Amino acid sequence: MNTLTVSVVTPDGPVLEDTFEMVSCKAESGELGILPGHIPLVAPLSISSVRLKGPNPQRSAVSGGFLEVRPDKVTILAQSAELPDEIDLERARAAKERAERRLQAKQDEIDFRRAEYALKRALNRIEVVEEK
Amino acid sequence: MASLRDIKTRITSTQKTKQITKAMHMVSAAKLSKAEEFAKSFDPYSNKIKEVVASIAGSGQDAEHPMLQSREVKKTAYFVITSDRGLAGAFNSGVLREVYRTIQNRHKSQDEYTVIAVGRMGRDFFKKRGIPVLKEITGLSDQPNFSDIKELTAETVDLFIDGEIDELVIFYNHFVSAISQQVTSNKLLPLTDLSENTSGNSSMYEYEPNQQEILNVLLPQYAESLIFGALLDSKASEHAARMTAMKNATDNADELIGDLSLQYNRARQAAITQEITEIVSGAAALE
């Protein structure tokens, strides 16, 4: 079976580098599945989980990222990316509640947008952990 | 001549100072190696993002984005990176002097510029001189995470996109080596030198959904990564500068202690000689 080298890189250092058979992720324009031999591609990712399939499947919660595909290599560049066991579930839940409170309070627009992003990130993290 | 006791006190106090500077020197050395490691782990990200941005910019089609366009400069923002604490030799004063001179030379009125300050030393410097500080961040840890600084960088880039500022210049200490740091100024926004470093093999990507959308996401991230890179660079410089400063202080203390010990011994010997003379002359008087 053909494989892909996948590396997930953040400003704080590489998070993951391994070979997988398939990458499945959510780009801003919709779900994307990448198999070995894909044409070179660049796409921004939404705040979502990246699922890496193969003998040792892996998931990662990604925010502020994009995807670069080469025929045998996939690089995911993200402002933050975590593996399920790195996620602090308590903290994510607290962040979710905080963001929800802020959204209820309906302050000015910038705060609103920021809270919305925070909520998305928190939900994404919780989802990645609980998917197990 | 100072009395024996006075000299002794000075020696002890210098020794205590030396102990402190020596400890600070070693702490900075340890922090420096960590900071270098940290800067290294950021490299893969910055190289990759640079590569992708360059490949889009160099793909021939005119990619249009406000962040790529130079416009008439009505307001310049200076992004100044300093440390929170002093005792680092010329680390802060070098950057601040450079910024201050640039501002004095380029601008006549306060409406033409603003400052974004990282680090307490920089913020206090500008506040004291009545220079407007638009945003500030202090108390960054020695090994900053991207999430610590993300808000500031995102807000800064937004300022440019919204047209509040027309130019962003960053000032920081570039880490050359453990004994040499260089004050560097870089024009960060608008991004102008993208296509210079295009490598040949990468300009055939497929873009999903299209180039424009990707630029919208990518360019702010790229600019943010540049700021973060400068910050890591400056942190490494800070530790290196403090290490050198503390090394010098320790050496100076050593020298001072040497001089004082010499003085102390001379004074001690003079006292002994005097005592002997007194005893001898006393005995001579009895004969």
Side-chain angles (χ1 to χ4, degrees):
Chain A
M1 179 105 189
N2 283 336
T3 52
L4 279 164
T5 310
V6 180
S7 56
V8 180
V9 193
T10 68
D12 296 327
V15 174
L16 174 81
E17 170 134 30
D18 209 347
T19 53
F20 296 96
E21 284 161 8
M22 181 179 172
V23 180
S24 160
C25 56
K26 199 169 162 199
E28 302 226 313
S29 51
E31 286 277 345
L32 266 182
I34 313 281
L35 288 166
H38 200 283
I39 53 165
L41 169 87
V42 176
L45 296 177
S46 58
I47 299 172
S48 61
S49 71
V50 171
R51 294 171 301 283
L52 306 164
K53 291 171 189 167
N56 308 304
Q58 192 57 271
R59 288 188 317 282
S60 177
V62 173
S63 75
F66 64 94
L67 176 86
E68 190 224 12
V69 183
R70 298 269 180 88
D72 56 345
K73 189 162 173 29
V74 174
T75 313
I76 292 166
L77 290 169
Q79 299 201 321
S80 80
E82 288 121 354
L83 301 179
D85 21 321
E86 288 167 359
I87 294 173
D88 185 343
L89 196 58
E90 287 305 307
R91 200 178 133 188
R93 287 210 174 104
K96 178 184 160 223
E97 270 165 35
R98 198 167 53 233
E100 276 169 350
R101 263 204 312 280
R102 284 212 186 124
L103 285 174
Q104 299 276 323
K106 283 207 182 104
Q107 285 151 343
D108 56 69
E109 200 175 317
I110 294 184
D111 269 346
F112 195 73
R113 206 176 59 189
R114 199 183 287 165
E116 208 177 304
Y117 278 130
L119 180 62
K120 269 192 198 164
R121 281 198 299 270
L123 283 174
N124 182 32
R125 285 192 176 118
I126 293 170
E127 200 185 289
V128 165
V129 175
E130 286 177 349
E131 219 173 274
K132 257 181 195 174
Chain B
M1 200 166 179
S3 80
L4 272 181
R5 250 231 333 259
D6 287 347
I7 300 175
K8 190 86 192 160
T9 325
R10 280 194 65 193
I11 292 179
T12 335
S13 82
T14 315
Q15 254 160 358
K16 277 185 185 144
T17 313
K18 185 186 139 189
Q19 269 175 3
I20 294 169
T21 57
K22 200 171 174 186
M24 282 181 75
H25 168 230
M26 289 194 291
V27 168
S28 297
K31 282 184 178 169
L32 171 63
S33 68
K34 252 193 204 159
E36 274 185 283
E37 215 172 276
F38 227 72
K40 225 172 269 162
S41 68
F42 170 67
D43 271 351
Y45 181 85
S46 75
N47 290 340
K48 200 78 205 175
I49 201 166
K50 212 175 276 173
E51 192 187 311
V52 177
V53 169
S55 85
I56 297 178
S59 67
Q61 302 170 36
D62 274 331
E64 296 246 322
H65 193 270
M67 282 172 75
L68 296 170
Q69 281 158 359
S70 305
R71 48 191 189 228
E72 193 197 340
V73 178
K74 293 198 196 84
K75 191 161 190 173
T76 306
Y78 294 96
F79 197 101
V80 185
I81 305 178
T82 55
S83 67
D84 278 341
R85 281 174 301 157
L87 292 180
F91 176 82
N92 291 312
S93 55
V95 175
L96 295 174
R97 197 182 322 120
E98 190 70 29
V99 179
Y100 196 62
R101 196 162 44 200
T102 312
I103 290 178
Q104 298 286 326
N105 286 342
R106 284 187 61 185
H107 304 292
K108 289 192 184 66
S109 120
Q110 286 218 336
D111 303 331
E112 292 173 11
Y113 63 88
T114 185
V115 167
I116 298 162
V118 175
R120 191 168 294 130
M121 302 303 273
R123 182 196 65 184
D124 293 351
F125 176 91
F126 292 118
K127 288 218 161 136
K128 207 187 281 169
R129 279 164 186 73
I131 290 171
V133 178
L134 190 63
K135 289 181 190 302
E136 54 177 69
I137 188 165
T138 57
L140 273 183
S141 81
D142 284 324
Q143 270 85 44
N145 283 324
F146 187 65
S147 50
D148 298 338
I149 187 88
K150 199 170 130 201
E151 219 158 273
L152 182 75
T153 56
E155 281 169 13
T156 307
V157 173
D158 278 349
L159 280 178
F160 183 84
I161 294 174
D162 298 345
E164 294 262 331
I165 56 173
D166 306 296
E167 190 182 41
L168 179 69
V169 185
I170 190 165
F171 279 83
Y172 66 101
N173 277 287
H174 173 57
F175 178 78
V176 181
S177 73
I179 48 164
S180 157
Q181 298 86 37
Q182 206 171 21
V183 177
T184 313
S185 71
N186 249 336
K187 194 165 134 189
L188 221 60
L189 291 173
L191 297 159
T192 45
D193 55 347
L194 284 180
S195 36
E196 279 170 22
N197 42 12
T198 316
S199 49
N201 64 342
S202 49
S203 44
M204 58 332 174
Y205 286 117
E206 190 85 349
Y207 301 102
E208 173 70 35
N210 57 42
Q211 277 194 336
Q212 192 60 45
E213 287 298 312
I214 293 193
L215 283 181
N216 285 347
V217 179
L218 196 57
L219 288 180
Q221 282 190 20
Y222 177 59
E224 285 172 33
S225 83
L226 289 178
I227 298 178
F228 186 62
L231 188 81
L232 290 181
D233 200 352
S234 168
K235 275 285 175 196
S237 303
E238 178 191 339
H239 297 311
R242 181 164 296 129
M243 195 176 95
T244 319
M246 288 302 118
K247 176 95 176 61
N248 289 340
T250 313
D251 291 350
N252 289 342
D254 266 334
E255 204 176 298
L256 193 62
I257 291 171
D259 285 353
L260 286 173
S261 309
L262 198 66
Q263 248 185 57
Y264 177 77
N265 287 335
R266 278 207 189 115
R268 192 172 56 96
Q269 214 166 13
I272 294 169
T273 313
Q274 199 187 348
E275 246 173 72
I276 292 175
T277 321
E278 274 163 17
I279 293 167
V280 171
S281 55
L286 282 179
E287 275 175 14

